[in-house]
Amino acid sequence: APTGGSYPGVLYYQTSSNTTSANFNGTSNYYNGLIYCPGATSVNFNGAHGGYVVLVFGSSNFNGSGAVDLASPPPGGAFIRQAVLTK
């Protein structure tokens, strides 16, 4: 994910009205950042690896031997700087 610009930390964004499945496949792929696809009927991680990842989606499948750390922020920093509730 980019560290600057208009959307720092956002790796993948899909509008909530889009129900298309999102696929993150391949053992050589490494994901780090926010993956946002709340309307997706299926988000697939097949062998993909990742660092600190924030996931927002309807449903997901984790297959293969990939490793995703869902527990801690990057060293020396916080991934989410400001939370905003919207209606």
Side-chain angles (χ1 to χ4, degrees):
T3 57
S6 298
Y7 303 101
V10 178
L11 178 64
Y12 180 83
Y13 180 89
Q14 180 174 304
T15 62
S16 58
S17 61
N18 186 343
T19 59
T20 303
S21 295
N23 297 298
F24 302 92
N25 302 318
T27 57
S28 63
N29 294 333
Y30 186 85
Y31 301 103
N32 194 4
L34 169 67
I35 296 175
Y36 181 84
C37 37
T41 56
S42 178
V43 178
N44 300 296
F45 294 87
N46 295 310
H49 297 272
Y52 181 64
V53 180
V54 175
L55 304 169
V56 178
F57 46 75
S59 66
S60 180
N61 298 306
F62 291 87
N63 299 312
S65 60
V68 178
D69 177 7
L70 303 174
S72 59
F79 183 74
I80 300 172
R81 294 186 179 97
Q82 178 182 0
V84 178
L85 296 175
T86 62
K87 184 175 178 181

